[in-house]
């Protein structure tokens, strides 16, 4: 078993030696899956982790996620899918392709499963995170490993933009957060699991789980996860801190939850707006309207 440091070195070296790898490792083949053309590797090996024997089969299977990718639910989703459908192939790991790290899968799932549930789908068993290796206990790849291989060891996982707390991706591109207008139509369509008024105490973006620590002032909507009026941790779905929060400020926050892990989630598509007193009345009015519609629908279904 290789250490994480050696894993990172392996990844960096393999990215630099693709021409040699193509000659010396006949079992590796060029990536021909269009969705994965932007990945930092261009050699793969079949069968992949989903047991597709050829890339032609893998292309047909991965294309089913194009719509989900288009929602921007997680910037980790494409990396994770490509690591599963077109796994990196190196000189030293020809017999068994390298898997993505468990944390990459979990971030993609946390960001995208709430979106899938809105359309009556759940995270597929074939992409289960539980079967993947932890970063510090096995050989695996993640966007963080690629960034660290190119950056000094003393730098944070992702370079920070101090102006707005956004991170930057592997190519030093600033993350762009989706702007969601706080209107009744969006509120009804997005069906947020929780709505709270909270003061931000701290935003943490080191390590694999970016979080925001908030002090809950008022709970305007909750679902399966209990939200007492005390300090709570909100889990970002990726290292792009969307929506951005500033410590010391008070916000109206709308997001989703992972009831299995009792976590409150922030994804690109969640809402965080500076708090104003009229917001509480507005949300309560919207909740009453939706409850009334729900009761009316139930009465119609009985007749």
């Amino acid at each position: 078993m290789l250490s994480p440091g050696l894993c990172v070195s392996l990844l960096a070296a393999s990215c630099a030696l693709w021409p040699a790898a193509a000659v010396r490792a006949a079992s590796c083949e060029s990536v021909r899956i269009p969705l994965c053309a932007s990945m930092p590797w261009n050699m793969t090996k079949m069968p992949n982790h989903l047991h597709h024997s050829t890339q032609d089969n893998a292309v047909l299977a991965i294309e089913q996620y194009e719509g989900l990718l288009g929602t921007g639910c997680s910037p980790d989703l494409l990396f994770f899918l490509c690591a599963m459908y077109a796994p990196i192939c190196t000189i030293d790991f020809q017999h068994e392709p390298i898997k993505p790290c468990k944390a990459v899968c979990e971030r993609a799932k946390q960001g995208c499963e709430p979106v899938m549930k809105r359309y009556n789908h759940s995270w597929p068993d074939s992409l289960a995170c539980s079967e993947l290796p932890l970063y510090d206990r096995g050989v695996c790849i993640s966007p963080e490993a690629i960034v660290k291989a190119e950056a000094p060891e003393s730098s944070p996982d992702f370079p920070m933009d101090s102006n707005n707390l956004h991170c930057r991706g592997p190519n030093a591109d600033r993350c762009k957060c989706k702007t969601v207008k706080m209107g009744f139509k969006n509120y009804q369509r997005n069906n947020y699991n929780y709505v709270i008024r909270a003061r931000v105490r701290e935003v943490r973006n080191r390590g694999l789980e970016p979080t925001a620590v908030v002090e809950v002032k008022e709970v305007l909507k909750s679902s399966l996860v209990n939200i007492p009026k005390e300090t709570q941790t909100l889990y970002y779905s990726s290292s792009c801190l969307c929506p951005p929060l500033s410590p010391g400020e008070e916000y109206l926050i709308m997001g989703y939850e992972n009831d299995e892990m009792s976590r409150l989630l922030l994804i690109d598509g969640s809402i965080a707006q500076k708090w104003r007193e009229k917001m509480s009345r507005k949300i309560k009015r919207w909740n009453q309207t939706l409850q009334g519609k729900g009761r009316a629908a139930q009465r119609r279904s009985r007749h």
Side-chain angles (χ1 to χ4, degrees):
M1 184 177 294
L2 301 181
S3 66
L6 187 53
C7 175
V8 172
S9 299
L10 166 65
L11 185 56
S14 62
C15 289
L17 294 175
W18 283 130
V23 174
R24 295 172 55 187
S27 57
C28 293
E29 57 188 79
S30 297
V31 174
R32 300 190 307 277
I33 298 177
L35 280 175
C36 301
S38 62
M39 291 298 103
W41 66 88
N42 58 10
M43 300 297 288
T44 187
K45 176 180 170 63
M46 295 288 127
N48 59 21
H49 299 306
L50 285 306
H51 309 295
H52 296 115
S53 58
T54 67
Q55 287 194 66
D56 291 336
N57 293 337
V59 167
L60 296 175
I62 197 174
E63 283 180 348
Q64 66 182 306
Y65 296 102
E66 282 189 291
L68 188 62
L69 286 164
T71 68
C73 57
S74 171
D76 292 292
L77 180 61
L78 181 59
F79 185 98
F80 171 67
L81 290 175
C82 288
M84 293 294 289
Y85 284 87
I88 183 173
C89 183
T90 72
I91 298 170
D92 299 297
F93 288 85
Q94 297 175 45
H95 300 296
E96 183 176 354
I98 302 171
K99 293 181 177 180
C101 297
K102 183 178 181 181
V104 181
C105 176
E106 289 177 338
R107 293 201 302 267
K109 181 179 179 180
Q110 285 177 6
C112 297
E113 190 169 41
V115 177
M116 298 173 73
K117 285 183 175 178
R118 281 183 242 158
Y119 298 93
N120 298 318
H121 295 288
S122 57
W123 192 256
D125 292 339
S126 60
L127 299 179
C129 303
S130 58
E131 303 301 318
L132 298 175
L134 294 171
Y135 178 72
D136 58 350
R137 298 181 190 174
V139 177
C140 60
I141 63 168
S142 69
E144 293 82 9
I146 295 171
V147 172
K148 286 179 179 177
E150 298 170 352
E153 292 184 1
S154 60
S155 66
D157 290 345
F158 290 88
M160 296 296 294
D161 177 352
S162 59
N163 292 327
N164 58 10
L165 296 179
H166 289 188
C167 72
R168 301 189 183 202
N171 299 320
D173 296 326
R174 182 183 300 179
C175 297
K176 294 182 179 179
C177 295
K178 182 189 300 182
T179 300
V180 182
K181 185 178 180 181
M182 200 186 83
F184 178 72
K185 288 185 178 179
N186 278 336
Y187 186 73
Q188 181 179 17
R189 181 174 61 249
N190 293 340
N191 191 24
Y192 295 106
N193 295 136
Y194 72 89
V195 180
I196 58 175
R197 168 192 172 194
R199 181 176 295 277
V200 180
R201 304 180 83 180
E202 183 181 4
V203 177
R204 302 168 180 167
N205 193 37
R206 289 182 178 272
L208 298 180
E209 287 192 320
T211 57
V213 179
V214 303
E215 182 181 350
V216 178
K217 301 290 187 180
E218 185 177 4
V219 179
L220 297 166
K221 180 183 178 181
S222 63
S223 297
L224 297 176
V225 176
N226 182 44
I227 311 176
K229 292 182 182 180
E230 58 185 40
T231 300
Q232 294 287 324
T233 299
L234 310 181
Y235 292 83
Y236 280 100
S237 63
S238 78
S239 293
C240 287
L241 304 185
C242 296
L245 298 171
S246 299
E249 297 287 348
E250 198 165 302
Y251 291 88
L252 175 72
I253 301 174
M254 305 181 186
Y256 298 96
E257 65 183 22
N258 182 328
D259 57 286
E260 294 179 359
M261 301 177 69
S262 295
R263 286 184 171 185
L264 301 179
L265 308 178
L266 287 171
I267 70 170
D268 191 12
S270 295
I271 289 178
Q273 290 199 0
K274 295 287 183 66
W275 175 257
R276 297 190 303 274
E277 289 300 326
K278 63 180 181 181
M279 288 178 169
S280 180
R281 295 191 299 273
K282 181 183 291 186
I283 298 301
K284 289 176 181 178
R285 188 169 64 251
W286 289 352
N287 287 338
Q288 290 173 355
T289 300
L290 292 175
Q291 288 169 5
K293 289 184 175 181
R295 288 192 293 267
Q298 287 178 353
R299 287 194 296 269
R300 287 195 299 270
S301 65
R302 295 194 192 104
H303 295 292

